[in-house]
Amino acid sequence: MSTLLDSAPGYRPGRTLPLRVEAVRQLKRRRTLVMGGILAALPFVLTIAFAIGGGADGRGNDRITLMDTATASGANFAATCLFVSAGFLLVVPVALFCGDTVASEASWSSLRYLLAAPVPRARLLWSKLAVALGFSAAAILLLPVVALAVGTAAYGWGPLELPTGGSLDTAATVPRLALAVVYVFVSQLVTAGLAFWLSTRTDAPLGAVGGAVGLTIIGNVLDAVTALGSWRDFLPAHWQFAWADALQPHLEWGGMLRGAAVSVTYALVLFALAFRGFARKDIVS
């Protein structure tokens, strides 16, 4: 069958299911708009909370946290929004975009028609994975960008004051924040890989999304078990806040490099399992 298709006039496997078409389809979906609205609304909610609570100044305490410096500048506010959302909130859009992408087609009984179009299975997965990762990156970027704009309007632009003392000058603030955001995305590749693999194994989108979020939560719980000792170094959750090393007077790469290595390794294995399993799967929906 594939030989006949390859020899058909005008047929090019690489041109089936263009990324632009898949991106437009995903962008128009209600869950994409809702998730974007939630992420964009969070900085406004936090601004109102700080206004009602009288600010977040904790400089009189013995131990100052990133939350205590949230209202010092727009950069501090953006870093705080990233801190409160990286552990769970930013997991949800990644699991949603990557876990819903294939399973939703199966639940709508349209997956077999896509393959009969004919779209090669590997091409279909590559297109959907690329778009899902693109939307995940956009979701992770949206929050700090909106937070930086809202925080600057509310608290002014200035250096990033560090909880450990000192500050980053304005010239270094944006590059450091950008590095932190990039690391957050890389650390979420594990969730993306898990959600995408589950999406190729089930016809229930909520099962794929919920499974990825649930296992991510389990990873966080296991990381809190100090009795595991050095075994926690193999848990992606153990490195999820390593991006904070980018917000130090002297940039520390050690934690971020180890965390990125763990995340990318798990993600590559999960992506490979997804492609291998889908290539042999009997598509009936």
Side-chain angles (χ1 to χ4, degrees):
M1 180 66 175
S2 59
T3 303
L4 293 175
L5 289 175
D6 292 341
S7 62
Y11 177 71
R12 297 292 184 273
R15 295 183 180 180
T16 57
L17 195 61
L19 293 178
R20 176 181 56 82
V21 174
E22 179 65 17
V24 170
R25 290 180 65 221
Q26 298 299 328
L27 183 62
K28 290 182 178 180
R29 294 190 59 187
R30 183 178 301 175
R31 51 92 158 144
T32 303
L33 301 178
V34 171
M35 182 54 62
I38 292 174
L39 293 174
L42 179 62
F44 293 95
V45 173
L46 288 180
T47 303
I48 295 173
F50 287 141
I52 294 176
D57 191 357
R59 294 187 179 88
N61 299 333
D62 293 334
R63 183 179 180 182
I64 299 177
T65 65
L66 192 61
M67 184 68 74
D68 297 325
T69 62
T71 58
S73 68
N76 279 92
F77 184 72
T80 301
C81 288
L82 197 61
F83 174 74
V84 300
S85 60
F88 179 74
L89 180 60
L90 292 180
V91 174
V92 176
V94 176
L96 181 64
F97 293 133
C98 294
D100 181 70
T101 181
V102 178
S104 61
E105 298 284 0
S107 68
W108 298 332
S109 297
S110 58
L111 185 57
R112 56 183 173 181
Y113 295 107
L114 277 175
L115 296 176
V119 180
R121 295 192 180 201
R123 172 66 183 180
L124 183 143
L125 286 190
W126 277 120
S127 295
K128 288 189 170 293
L129 178 59
V131 172
L133 290 177
F135 274 84
S136 299
I140 292 175
L141 179 63
L142 175 64
L143 177 64
V145 167
V146 174
L148 188 62
V150 172
T152 300
Y155 311 118
W157 178 254
L160 178 66
E161 295 190 12
L162 305 176
T164 55
S167 62
L168 292 177
D169 58 55
T170 54
T173 295
V174 172
R176 293 291 189 91
L177 285 174
L179 177 60
V181 173
V182 170
Y183 178 80
V184 170
F185 172 71
V186 172
S187 69
Q188 293 298 335
L189 288 178
V190 177
T191 301
L194 182 58
F196 191 70
W197 174 65
L198 290 174
S199 185
T200 63
R201 305 296 300 175
T202 179
D203 294 349
L206 287 179
V209 176
V213 173
L215 289 175
T216 301
I217 293 175
I218 291 175
N220 292 335
V221 173
L222 290 176
D223 183 56
V225 181
T226 55
L228 290 175
S230 60
W231 286 102
R232 294 187 299 164
D233 292 346
F234 297 97
L235 295 174
H238 186 67
W239 307 100
Q240 64 179 340
F241 289 106
W243 58 267
D245 292 343
L247 307 182
Q248 301 295 333
H250 301 286
L251 183 60
E252 298 288 341
W253 289 98
M256 287 189 290
L257 289 176
R258 284 181 287 178
V262 171
S263 179
V264 171
T265 299
Y266 279 112
L268 289 176
V269 171
L270 290 166
F271 289 145
L273 288 175
F275 276 85
R276 182 177 183 273
F278 192 74
R280 305 178 179 185
K281 185 178 180 180
D282 185 17
I283 307 297
V284 295
S285 58

